[in-house]
Amino acid sequence: WPEALIFDVDGTLAETEELHRRAFNAAFADAGLRWNWSQDDYRALLTTTGGKERIARYVTERGGDPATVPVAELHKAKTAHYVDLMARGQIALRPGIADLIDEARAAGRRLAIATTTSPANVEALCLAVFGKPAAQVFDVIAAGDEVPAKKPAPDIYLLALQRLGLTADRAVALEDSRNGLRSARAAKLACVVSPGVYTAGEDFSAATLVLGCFTDLGGLAGLSAVRT
Ligand code: XBP
Ligand code: MG
């Protein structure tokens, strides 16, 4: 145990949320909108997972009607900006992640992704940090709009498990956020959390294990010991 490691992407594999925030703001500017999300704005908005859902929430909070805003178009432009920004190579894996992936792979464990973000963003990140396509790093990828209900709903983790052909007791989730933790636990997975820059201070009491840093895990042996 575990037969598979299921990784969240944003905040877990890498600190990507600043890039997301800049990409949203660039898309808003392109569209001639005077919206600019500060880091504090973004921290609050992050409690809503999914970029389209986040834009819609922002419009609603400003007293607007999301139905009158081209949310899908704005989000498409945001993804294009994100992919461009990611290709500039300024994002690195969080400490401990590369070694854990290498060790798990060498030990014959399977690797999966369960993320709220769009498949294009997963691909861009993998090309930038691993130098290869996501499908060459991960056996299974479950991402974005493949499920109707995003985290904290269990759907994306259930989809990853279904594609792995495993029940929840055979795998472990690695997360950085409370929404991600709730999603993993709702799918009945053990969940190791290491908070990221935008999620530090959230309530992780439902976690199987909380770490300051993934290097504190002690590799695959440490992960095997967290079984619930
Ligand atoms: C990450 C997210 C995503 C990204 C934006 O959550 O909430 O919405 O911020 O991605 P998690 P898109 O790490 O829990 O998966 O704009 O592509 O939706
Ligand atoms: Mg995350």
Side-chain angles (χ1 to χ4, degrees):
W1 192 90
E3 288 170 52
L5 284 64
I6 311 178
F7 290 89
D8 168 51
V9 174
D10 296 304
T12 300
L13 291 182
E15 289 286 7
T16 50
E17 289 299 354
E18 269 301 286
L19 231 58
H20 281 293
R21 186 180 71 86
R22 284 166 57 197
F24 279 111
N25 285 334
F28 299 154
D30 286 352
L33 294 163
R34 291 194 190 172
W35 302 346
N36 198 290
W37 293 351
S38 69
Q39 291 181 347
D40 282 344
D41 295 336
Y42 196 63
R43 188 180 306 278
L45 287 163
L46 267 177
T47 58
T48 300
T49 60
K52 290 186 285 291
E53 293 81 353
R54 193 168 298 144
I55 294 168
R57 168 184 161 185
Y58 177 71
V59 172
T60 304
E61 283 181 351
R62 289 167 56 94
D65 176 3
T68 65
V69 172
V71 172
E73 216 174 290
L74 283 169
H75 187 254
K76 205 173 153 198
K78 177 259 170 179
T79 299
H81 277 292
Y82 182 87
V83 168
D84 276 356
L85 288 166
M86 184 59 77
R88 296 186 197 175
Q90 284 156 15
I91 295 291
L93 289 168
R94 284 189 61 188
I97 293 292
D99 286 349
L100 183 60
I101 285 177
D102 287 348
E103 196 189 351
R105 168 72 65 209
R109 313 302 168 93
R110 293 163 74 213
L111 301 170
I113 276 179
T115 180
T116 299
T117 205
S118 313
N121 297 345
V122 178
E123 194 62 20
L125 176 71
C126 288
L127 289 172
V129 299
F130 297 110
K132 46 190 171 187
Q136 286 179 27
V137 183
F138 297 96
D139 303 293
V140 159
I141 297 166
D145 295 330
E146 290 194 288
V147 290
K150 292 184 175 159
K151 298 175 187 178
D155 304 37
I156 201 75
Y157 275 105
L158 293 174
L159 180 63
L161 284 168
Q162 184 195 320
R163 289 180 176 163
L164 285 163
L166 293 175
T167 50
D169 56 325
R170 307 258 182 130
V172 62
L174 295 103
E175 272 288 353
D176 73 301
S177 73
R178 176 166 161 78
N179 276 324
L181 168 64
R182 287 175 64 200
S183 174
R185 295 304 266 173
K188 306 255 185 313
L189 284 155
C191 184
V192 174
V193 175
S194 177
V197 287
Y198 270 107
T199 54
E202 292 184 355
D203 177 3
F204 298 116
S205 49
T208 315
L209 178 68
V210 183
L211 301 167
C213 179
F214 287 113
T215 52
D216 298 341
L217 186 58
L220 199 55
L223 195 60
S224 303
V226 305
R227 184 169 196 169
T228 38

PDB file of all heavy atoms in Angstrom, residues 96-111:
ATOM      1  N   GLY A  96      10.207  17.837  -2.776  1.00  0.00           N
ATOM      2  CA  GLY A  96       9.793  16.485  -2.395  1.00  0.00           C
ATOM      3  C   GLY A  96       8.954  15.777  -3.442  1.00  0.00           C
ATOM      4  O   GLY A  96       8.850  14.552  -3.431  1.00  0.00           O
ATOM      5  N   ILE A  97       8.333  16.532  -4.338  1.00  0.00           N
ATOM      6  CA  ILE A  97       7.413  15.925  -5.312  1.00  0.00           C
ATOM      7  C   ILE A  97       8.163  15.088  -6.353  1.00  0.00           C
ATOM      8  O   ILE A  97       7.786  13.939  -6.632  1.00  0.00           O
ATOM      9  CB  ILE A  97       6.548  17.013  -6.001  1.00  0.00           C
ATOM     10  CG1 ILE A  97       5.597  17.663  -4.985  1.00  0.00           C
ATOM     11  CG2 ILE A  97       5.776  16.434  -7.179  1.00  0.00           C
ATOM     12  CD1 ILE A  97       4.495  16.764  -4.449  1.00  0.00           C
ATOM     13  N   ALA A  98       9.235  15.635  -6.913  1.00  0.00           N
ATOM     14  CA  ALA A  98       9.973  14.899  -7.967  1.00  0.00           C
ATOM     15  C   ALA A  98      10.499  13.574  -7.414  1.00  0.00           C
ATOM     16  O   ALA A  98      10.346  12.518  -8.051  1.00  0.00           O
ATOM     17  CB  ALA A  98      11.112  15.748  -8.512  1.00  0.00           C
ATOM     18  N   ASP A  99      11.086  13.609  -6.218  1.00  0.00           N
ATOM     19  CA  ASP A  99      11.638  12.380  -5.625  1.00  0.00           C
ATOM     20  C   ASP A  99      10.534  11.367  -5.335  1.00  0.00           C
ATOM     21  O   ASP A  99      10.714  10.170  -5.550  1.00  0.00           O
ATOM     22  CB  ASP A  99      12.382  12.697  -4.321  1.00  0.00           C
ATOM     23  CG  ASP A  99      13.729  13.363  -4.589  1.00  0.00           C
ATOM     24  OD1 ASP A  99      14.153  13.373  -5.761  1.00  0.00           O
ATOM     25  OD2 ASP A  99      14.340  13.870  -3.625  1.00  0.00           O
ATOM     26  N   LEU A 100       9.403  11.846  -4.828  1.00  0.00           N
ATOM     27  CA  LEU A 100       8.296  10.943  -4.502  1.00  0.00           C
ATOM     28  C   LEU A 100       7.767  10.261  -5.768  1.00  0.00           C
ATOM     29  O   LEU A 100       7.512   9.045  -5.780  1.00  0.00           O
ATOM     30  CB  LEU A 100       7.182  11.728  -3.798  1.00  0.00           C
ATOM     31  CG  LEU A 100       5.979  10.913  -3.320  1.00  0.00           C
ATOM     32  CD1 LEU A 100       6.398   9.841  -2.314  1.00  0.00           C
ATOM     33  CD2 LEU A 100       4.927  11.840  -2.699  1.00  0.00           C
ATOM     34  N   ILE A 101       7.635  11.036  -6.829  1.00  0.00           N
ATOM     35  CA  ILE A 101       7.155  10.482  -8.097  1.00  0.00           C
ATOM     36  C   ILE A 101       8.150   9.459  -8.638  1.00  0.00           C
ATOM     37  O   ILE A 101       7.765   8.355  -9.046  1.00  0.00           O
ATOM     38  CB  ILE A 101       6.878  11.623  -9.112  1.00  0.00           C
ATOM     39  CG1 ILE A 101       5.569  12.331  -8.716  1.00  0.00           C
ATOM     40  CG2 ILE A 101       6.814  11.098 -10.546  1.00  0.00           C
ATOM     41  CD1 ILE A 101       5.195  13.514  -9.571  1.00  0.00           C
ATOM     42  N   ASP A 102       9.428   9.789  -8.606  1.00  0.00           N
ATOM     43  CA  ASP A 102      10.455   8.860  -9.105  1.00  0.00           C
ATOM     44  C   ASP A 102      10.461   7.571  -8.288  1.00  0.00           C
ATOM     45  O   ASP A 102      10.534   6.467  -8.843  1.00  0.00           O
ATOM     46  CB  ASP A 102      11.850   9.504  -9.028  1.00  0.00           C
ATOM     47  CG  ASP A 102      12.035  10.583 -10.084  1.00  0.00           C
ATOM     48  OD1 ASP A 102      11.189  10.665 -10.996  1.00  0.00           O
ATOM     49  OD2 ASP A 102      13.016  11.345  -9.981  1.00  0.00           O
ATOM     50  N   GLU A 103      10.384   7.720  -6.975  1.00  0.00           N
ATOM     51  CA  GLU A 103      10.432   6.555  -6.092  1.00  0.00           C
ATOM     52  C   GLU A 103       9.196   5.670  -6.286  1.00  0.00           C
ATOM     53  O   GLU A 103       9.309   4.439  -6.350  1.00  0.00           O
ATOM     54  CB  GLU A 103      10.544   7.024  -4.630  1.00  0.00           C
ATOM     55  CG  GLU A 103      10.983   5.915  -3.694  1.00  0.00           C
ATOM     56  CD  GLU A 103      10.883   6.296  -2.225  1.00  0.00           C
ATOM     57  OE1 GLU A 103      10.638   7.484  -1.910  1.00  0.00           O
ATOM     58  OE2 GLU A 103      11.016   5.378  -1.394  1.00  0.00           O
ATOM     59  N   ALA A 104       8.046   6.308  -6.388  1.00  0.00           N
ATOM     60  CA  ALA A 104       6.798   5.554  -6.562  1.00  0.00           C
ATOM     61  C   ALA A 104       6.805   4.807  -7.894  1.00  0.00           C
ATOM     62  O   ALA A 104       6.430   3.630  -7.974  1.00  0.00           O
ATOM     63  CB  ALA A 104       5.596   6.500  -6.479  1.00  0.00           C
ATOM     64  N   ARG A 105       7.259   5.494  -8.913  1.00  0.00           N
ATOM     65  CA  ARG A 105       7.334   4.882 -10.244  1.00  0.00           C
ATOM     66  C   ARG A 105       8.293   3.670 -10.225  1.00  0.00           C
ATOM     67  O   ARG A 105       7.955   2.584 -10.705  1.00  0.00           O
ATOM     68  CB  ARG A 105       7.833   5.943 -11.239  1.00  0.00           C
ATOM     69  CG  ARG A 105       8.234   5.447 -12.584  1.00  0.00           C
ATOM     70  CD  ARG A 105       7.083   5.016 -13.459  1.00  0.00           C
ATOM     71  NE  ARG A 105       6.192   6.111 -13.829  1.00  0.00           N
ATOM     72  CZ  ARG A 105       4.892   5.940 -14.086  1.00  0.00           C
ATOM     73  NH1 ARG A 105       4.340   4.756 -13.987  1.00  0.00           N
ATOM     74  NH2 ARG A 105       4.141   6.969 -14.434  1.00  0.00           N
ATOM     75  N   ALA A 106       9.459   3.844  -9.603  1.00  0.00           N
ATOM     76  CA  ALA A 106      10.456   2.763  -9.550  1.00  0.00           C
ATOM     77  C   ALA A 106       9.917   1.566  -8.765  1.00  0.00           C
ATOM     78  O   ALA A 106      10.291   0.419  -9.032  1.00  0.00           O
ATOM     79  CB  ALA A 106      11.748   3.276  -8.923  1.00  0.00           C
ATOM     80  N   ALA A 107       9.035   1.837  -7.799  1.00  0.00           N
ATOM     81  CA  ALA A 107       8.475   0.768  -6.965  1.00  0.00           C
ATOM     82  C   ALA A 107       7.228   0.156  -7.597  1.00  0.00           C
ATOM     83  O   ALA A 107       6.551  -0.672  -6.971  1.00  0.00           O
ATOM     84  CB  ALA A 107       8.152   1.314  -5.574  1.00  0.00           C
ATOM     85  N   GLY A 108       6.900   0.576  -8.813  1.00  0.00           N
ATOM     86  CA  GLY A 108       5.765  -0.010  -9.522  1.00  0.00           C
ATOM     87  C   GLY A 108       4.404   0.506  -9.082  1.00  0.00           C
ATOM     88  O   GLY A 108       3.379  -0.090  -9.404  1.00  0.00           O
ATOM     89  N   ARG A 109       4.405   1.619  -8.342  1.00  0.00           N
ATOM     90  CA  ARG A 109       3.120   2.206  -7.949  1.00  0.00           C
ATOM     91  C   ARG A 109       2.585   3.030  -9.123  1.00  0.00           C
ATOM     92  O   ARG A 109       3.373   3.536  -9.921  1.00  0.00           O
ATOM     93  CB  ARG A 109       3.272   3.115  -6.714  1.00  0.00           C
ATOM     94  CG  ARG A 109       4.070   2.491  -5.601  1.00  0.00           C
ATOM     95  CD  ARG A 109       3.472   1.167  -5.125  1.00  0.00           C
ATOM     96  NE  ARG A 109       4.428   0.475  -4.257  1.00  0.00           N
ATOM     97  CZ  ARG A 109       4.435   0.591  -2.932  1.00  0.00           C
ATOM     98  NH1 ARG A 109       3.557   1.350  -2.326  1.00  0.00           N
ATOM     99  NH2 ARG A 109       5.335  -0.058  -2.221  1.00  0.00           N
ATOM    100  N   ARG A 110       1.267   3.175  -9.167  1.00  0.00           N
ATOM    101  CA  ARG A 110       0.697   3.947 -10.264  1.00  0.00           C
ATOM    102  C   ARG A 110       0.473   5.384  -9.839  1.00  0.00           C
ATOM    103  O   ARG A 110       0.266   5.674  -8.664  1.00  0.00           O
ATOM    104  CB  ARG A 110      -0.557   3.259 -10.780  1.00  0.00           C
ATOM    105  CG  ARG A 110      -0.104   1.934 -11.426  1.00  0.00           C
ATOM    106  CD  ARG A 110      -1.224   0.990 -11.605  1.00  0.00           C
ATOM    107  NE  ARG A 110      -2.053   1.446 -12.698  1.00  0.00           N
ATOM    108  CZ  ARG A 110      -3.368   1.274 -12.740  1.00  0.00           C
ATOM    109  NH1 ARG A 110      -3.996   0.672 -11.754  1.00  0.00           N
ATOM    110  NH2 ARG A 110      -4.054   1.683 -13.773  1.00  0.00           N
ATOM    111  N   LEU A 111       0.538   6.256 -10.819  1.00  0.00           N
ATOM    112  CA  LEU A 111       0.468   7.693 -10.558  1.00  0.00           C
ATOM    113  C   LEU A 111      -0.738   8.278 -11.275  1.00  0.00           C
ATOM    114  O   LEU A 111      -0.959   7.996 -12.454  1.00  0.00           O
ATOM    115  CB  LEU A 111       1.743   8.380 -11.053  1.00  0.00           C
ATOM    116  CG  LEU A 111       3.048   7.875 -10.431  1.00  0.00           C
ATOM    117  CD1 LEU A 111       4.250   8.454 -11.171  1.00  0.00           C
ATOM    118  CD2 LEU A 111       3.106   8.228  -8.957  1.00  0.00           C
TER     119      LEU A 111
END
